[in-house]
Amino acid sequence: MQVERVWLAGGVVRIAARTGELTMACPDCSRGSARVHSRYSRTLADVAAGDRPVLISLSVRRLFCDTPSCGRRTFAEQVEGLTVRYQRRSPLLQKLVETAGVLLAGRGGARLLSILKAPLSRTSVLFQLMRMELPLAATPRVLGVDDFALYADVYGTLLVDADTRLPIELWAGRGAEHLAAWLRAHPGVEVVCRDGSLTYRQGITDGATDALQVSDRFHLWQGLSKRVSDIAAAHRGCLPAAVPEPALPPPTDESGTADTPARRHAKRLFEAVHAVSDSGRSLSAMARELGLNRRTVAKYARATSWQECVRRIPPRRSTSLDPYLEHLRQRWEEGEHTATMLHQEIAAKGYLGHYQRVKMAIAPLRRGLPIDTPRERPPSPRRVARWIATTPTRRGLHATEALRRLFDHCPELDRTHDLVRQFAAMLDARDAARLPGWIDQLEASRLAALTSLAKALREDQPAVVQGITTPFNSGVNEGRITDLKLQKRIMAGRAGVPLLRQRVILMAHLRRRYP
């Protein structure tokens, strides 16, 4: 190629060039030819130079093909590394456009190309992205199958090669028929890693009968942790037992229970409702007679004792004054009863709160009562489930003590903890010999959540055994789905499945080339 002229016009670097008199091969018969039919000019855009766009005006030849058996009479010559048939961009610029589309999709890619002095609309960026051919993937030996949420209740399926860690295919829906059809079209899959989905299990059975199915350890543990959380929620009334008793209990009545106006009111209502509930009248009639709301009457009528109807007072949350409560109590015993002076003393120690909070804190001391110290809130069911699922050696002292108090009070949670630790030991040792007996223990536990889990594990027991004993898992799938969700959110969730498939697969290969 011969460069004839380079000049700057309107902020654009323009290059005039022409091809030399070389022999070119016919694209059909590959026979060389140098007989010129005509010349014509092509305008090519190239990557920017010196922060200025570059346009190349290239004069190329049209040549005759003199091979009698060839059906092509003329053909246009192509310059390797510069021109492509029907392309108005150089291969370097085209690669830049495609890479921007893969990395940033439509609007983001268009902004980046504008910065790089190669302006293109967002629709053109997406058009170039969708034109890219997906790399051919060989049938994997170990296949990972998992679902992901597209939006609301609409799901998709992602297939990943567990050996190369690259995504293979992506489609909308998670039906067994589509998966079975793909497996029949790609014979040779030996191992399939999946979750406990019955749909995927059926699709793998129909499409690859000889493939070894592996129920992933992560999903097994996740399913067990979810059942533990359900059990903790069912025994929510036992969870306050995990909180240690306060050092200074509130004053109590003769029965040993704190006597408050709310408790006395609840006791009076309970006695009044149950005095008329034996008459056989309807709830509405009793409500009219007592002058109460029908829902209130229904609540007290269902209760077996008035204590059930008392509203629970939530524990006081900790405040910035709590570190100074002991100082306030000590100074009060020494004879300092002025709130202003006490506030000035703790302010000198670093307290930044208002005087009014100090005045309210010492108000119980004026009545001969102890300072209201903060009490720990009962743990939530999810937190208790997390404590139970955590390895005992990795639990903190607080969690260990809380579980000890809770298990002393609730034998059901204690039994659940023992079953969880037995399953964890099987996973750690990669030994499924005790799995049948462990499933029997789940069924005998008389806990609905564990009984349903035992039924699901027994139906899928061969795959569960493989998940415990073999090194295959769905970790690659989970990583790829995390990346997929990131790409979906980058496109604000408005992209369709074809564009999402294009970006997810090409992005993975791009990262492999440029780690």
Side-chain angles (χ1 to χ4, degrees), residues 31-70:
R31 294 287 298 274
S33 174
R35 193 159 67 95
V36 179
H37 173 275
S38 58
R39 275 189 174 272
Y40 68 99
S41 179
R42 295 184 61 175
T43 301
L44 303 170
D46 200 3
V47 292
D51 201 30
R52 293 183 177 88
V54 175
L55 287 179
I56 302 175
S57 298
L58 180 63
S59 175
V60 297
R61 299 173 298 167
R62 179 169 290 278
L63 305 172
F64 285 104
C65 180
D66 296 325
T67 305
S69 59
C70 183

Side-chain angles (χ1 to χ4, degrees), residues 481-493 500:
I481 285 179
T482 300
D483 177 66
L484 183 151
K485 292 178 179 178
L486 172 63
Q487 306 311 324
K488 186 166 68 73
R489 289 181 175 89
I490 287 177
M491 296 183 286
L500 189 60

Side-chain angles (χ1 to χ4, degrees), residues 202-320:
Q202 185 62 43
I204 298 167
T205 303
D206 296 342
T209 308
D210 299 331
L212 182 68
Q213 298 191 39
V214 178
S215 186
D216 179 55
R217 291 189 294 276
F218 166 75
H219 291 97
L220 292 175
W221 187 257
Q222 186 183 50
L224 179 59
S225 301
K226 177 63 170 64
R227 297 322 199 279
V228 174
S229 181
D230 294 342
I231 294 172
H235 293 79
R236 190 184 297 271
C238 301
L239 300 187
V243 179
E245 292 295 331
L248 296 173
T252 58
D253 56 13
E254 297 178 356
S255 62
T257 306
D259 187 21
T260 62
R263 298 178 72 86
R264 293 193 294 269
H265 177 70
K267 185 177 181 180
R268 287 195 300 268
L269 286 183
F270 178 82
E271 294 173 350
V273 170
H274 277 264
V276 299
S277 62
D278 297 334
S279 60
R281 284 175 290 178
S282 65
L283 293 176
S284 300
M286 290 188 291
R288 286 193 296 269
E289 179 180 346
L290 298 174
L292 300 174
N293 186 279
R294 185 180 182 278
R295 293 182 179 180
T296 303
V297 174
K299 181 181 73 171
Y300 280 90
R302 287 194 301 265
T304 57
S305 64
W306 64 269
Q307 288 86 351
E308 298 179 14
C309 305
V310 178
R311 178 179 297 178
R312 297 177 181 177
I313 301 176
R316 181 176 74 80
R317 293 185 178 181
S318 59
T319 65
S320 59

Side-chain angles (χ1 to χ4, degrees), residues 378-446:
S380 64
R382 180 177 295 182
R383 190 176 185 186
V384 171
R386 185 167 62 249
W387 286 346
I388 293 176
T390 302
T391 305
T393 56
R394 301 185 63 182
R395 292 180 193 145
L397 181 61
H398 171 73
T400 302
E401 290 298 319
L403 284 181
R404 181 186 58 78
R405 292 187 291 265
L406 182 59
F407 294 158
D408 291 342
H409 180 79
C410 184
E412 289 82 3
L413 286 174
D414 189 13
R415 179 62 175 159
T416 302
H417 174 261
D418 291 339
L419 292 171
V420 170
R421 300 300 359 132
Q422 290 179 34
F423 188 71
M426 283 188 281
L427 292 180
D428 292 339
R430 298 280 183 90
D431 183 10
R434 292 174 291 173
L435 181 63
W438 183 76
I439 295 177
D440 293 338
Q441 293 183 56
L442 293 182
E443 294 176 339
S445 64
R446 297 183 180 179

Side-chain angles (χ1 to χ4, degrees), residues 142-147 158-163 165 191-197 200 204 212-220 222 430 463 466-468 470-482:
V142 182
L143 177 68
V145 182
D146 210 346
D147 62 348
L158 177 67
L159 304 184
V160 180
D161 187 339
D163 289 331
R165 310 177 72 87
V191 181
V192 183
C193 300
R194 57 169 175 82
D195 56 14
S197 170
Y200 286 152
I204 298 167
L212 182 68
Q213 298 191 39
V214 178
S215 186
D216 179 55
R217 291 189 294 276
F218 166 75
H219 291 97
L220 292 175
Q222 186 183 50
R430 298 280 183 90
Q466 296 298 329
I468 296 175
T470 62
F472 305 114
N473 59 77
S474 296
V476 179
N477 303 43
E478 298 301 327
R480 287 301 176 191
I481 285 179
T482 300

